[in-house]
């Protein structure tokens, strides 16, 4: 694989992390977890390295990070295979992760001069005044497995460009992602200590976060995980950017282009086996087009090919682990017991088997908001579709959620769509698209979907602190 993988099968069990591939349930990787002594050493190295790194001209930082992007892209095929083996995304789709990383990294690199420029107020005779954006110091990034590069790049590149040192703790499911970053930054010539990786337990992750040398935390994960981050920081005045869960909604109006809506929303619901914080989990459809929409949605869902993600014809792989698939199965069963109807015959997907991570996509109708299937995050290949009578009812249901990451409105009347979007409680509102991150726009959530933002010029705000300079001429 071209990587120096930290492996030690003889370490005590409590000190070992294991990556089980969802493809076959077999052990893929095993290595020793880093200790608290390792954390202390990494923090000391980062603290010393950052003092020099922050003074390096921005154009030099940009050049180094461009080299790192090139180093990652040179390994795209190998990295795609690693993504598939570690978390189960079909190999035919896995290479797209690096294309997305490149797009976001290049945007943030190119936007850095604008985002980090000094702020100079109106002139006053006899005075020089300006505001600089100072690096915070050390940024700890805790990244998830579901989009292992696309989630981590949002924090890593702008943090480094802003002059911070970065400590990356990646998911135990996708540890090779951290290794690939480290390899790329080393090949690019980043100074030693500016970027480091740690493999940590939950307790030691909290220990790292609580260390007074950590100046900001970027966390992507569950609501429970976000609360744990806040708890670890509770005794210090340190901010955290939290991208948490989602129960993302779509509203299909009577005037929607139905074929376009179906094609996009099926993909939005089932891509990555539904394991996306901004994946489509609930759809509200106007009664006048409901039957046609559901019929087309079901027919397109039936065309999916569930199976071994190493096969190029597969476009729906296993969920990340059997327990995750079992949870979604239980949610579907519970909804049906409450009166909902499952429209997909699981026998159409022979690879879908109880006791494995392979789960057929499912479409649920006759649902309402008394059911968890429409309220709680499933994070799997299942979507509930509900009939509505008008815009007001749809808007009320879209907002009737503890989450607010994204929402989408499907209409050919953009004026009405934009007016509805004003009242949608979400960080991003799409019209006629879904499940997409534009690096020029702020990626942010409301309610239990988190706080803070990444991407866009605003993504730099939390990674710097303002420092005012006020000089009087004598």
């Amino acid at each position: 694989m071209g990587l120096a993988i930290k492996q030690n099968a003889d370490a005590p069990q409590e000190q070992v992390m294991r990556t089980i591939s969802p493809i076959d349930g077999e052990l893929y990787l095993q290595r020793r977890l880093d200790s608290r002594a390792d954390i202390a050493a990494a923090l000391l190295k980062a603290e010393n390295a950052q003092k020099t790194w922050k003074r390096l001209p921005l154009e030099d930082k940009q050049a180094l990070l461009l080299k790192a992007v090139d180093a990652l892209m040179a390994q795209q095929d190998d990295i795609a295979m690693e993504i598939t083996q570690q978390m189960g995304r079909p190999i035919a789709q896995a290479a797209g992760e690096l294309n997305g990383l490149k797009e976001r990294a290049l945007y943030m690199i190119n936007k850095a001069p604008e985002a980090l420029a000094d702020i100079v107020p109106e002139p006053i005779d006899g005075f020089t005044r300006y505001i600089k954006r100072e690096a915070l110091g050390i940024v700890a990034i805790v990244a998830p497995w579901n989009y292992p590069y696309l989630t981590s790049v949002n924090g890593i590149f702008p943090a480094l460009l802003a002059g911070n040192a970065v400590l990356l703790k990646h998911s135990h499911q996708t540890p090779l992602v951290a290794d690939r970053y480290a390899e790329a930054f080393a090949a690019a010539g980043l100074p030693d200590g500016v970027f480091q990786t740690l493999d940590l337990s939950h307790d030691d992750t909290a220990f790292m976060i609580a260390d007074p040398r950590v100046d900001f935390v970027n966390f992507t994960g569950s609501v429970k995980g976000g609360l744990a981050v806040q708890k670890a920081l509770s005794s210090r005045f340190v901010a955290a950017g939290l991208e948490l869960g989602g129960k993302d909604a779509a509203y299909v109006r009577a005037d929607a282009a139905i074929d376009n809506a179906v094609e996009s929303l099926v993909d939005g619901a089932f891509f990555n086996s539904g394991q996306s914080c901004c994946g489509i989990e609930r759809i509200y459809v106007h009664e006048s087009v409901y039957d046609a929409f559901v019929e087309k949605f079901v027919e397109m869902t039936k065309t999916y090919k569930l199976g071994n993600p190493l096969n190029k014809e597969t476009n729906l792989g296993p969920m990340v682990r059997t327990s995750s698939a079992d949870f979604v199965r239980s949610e579907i069963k519970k909804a049906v017991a409450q009166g909902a109807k499952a429209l997909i015959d699981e026998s159409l997907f022979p690879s879908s088997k109880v006791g494995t991570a392979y789960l057929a996509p499912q479409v649920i109708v006759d649902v309402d908001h008394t059911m968890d299937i429409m309220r709680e995050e499933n994070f799997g290949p299942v979507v509930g579709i509900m009939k509505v009578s008008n815009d007001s009812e749809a808007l009320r249901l879209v907002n009737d959620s503890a989450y607010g990451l994204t929402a989408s409105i499907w209409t050919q009347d953009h004026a009405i769509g934009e007016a509805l979007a004003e009242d949608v409680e979400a960080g991003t509102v799409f019209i006629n698209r879904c499940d997409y991150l534009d690096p020029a726009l702020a990626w942010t959530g409301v309610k239990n979907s988190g706080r803070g933002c990444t991407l866009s010029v605003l993504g730099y705000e939390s990674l710097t602190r303002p420092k005012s300079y006020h000089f009087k001429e004598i």
Side-chain angles (χ1 to χ4, degrees), residues 136 138 209-217 229-241 451 462 464-465:
L136 297 177
I138 297 176
I209 288 170
D211 191 284
R213 288 168 289 187
V214 171
D215 299 290
F216 183 77
V217 178
V229 170
Q230 288 196 146
K231 182 178 179 181
L233 293 173
S234 61
S235 64
R236 299 198 296 129
F237 299 119
V238 172
R451 69 165 185 233
S462 60
T464 61
R465 63 171 63 90

Side-chain angles (χ1 to χ4, degrees), residues 245 401-406 424-428 444-452:
S401 175
Y403 301 97
L405 188 56
T406 80
V424 171
E425 297 167 359
T428 298
T444 183
V446 299
K447 299 190 261 190
N448 281 354
S449 288
R451 69 165 185 233

Side-chain angles (χ1 to χ4, degrees), residues 362-414:
Q362 189 55 267
V363 181
I364 309 290
V365 295
D366 297 340
V367 292
D368 60 48
H369 276 218
T370 67
M371 302 176 182
D372 285 349
I373 204 79
M374 296 298 284
R375 300 193 64 82
E376 300 299 328
E377 186 174 28
N378 299 304
F379 219 64
V382 57
V383 62
I385 305 179
M386 187 172 173
K387 185 187 299 184
V388 296
S389 299
N390 52 54
D391 291 346
S392 296
E393 182 185 10
L395 190 62
R396 176 179 61 80
L397 292 167
V398 165
N399 289 336
D400 182 28
S401 175
Y403 301 97
L405 188 56
T406 80
S408 59
I409 299 169
W410 302 79
T411 177
Q412 296 183 73
D413 189 326
H414 279 229

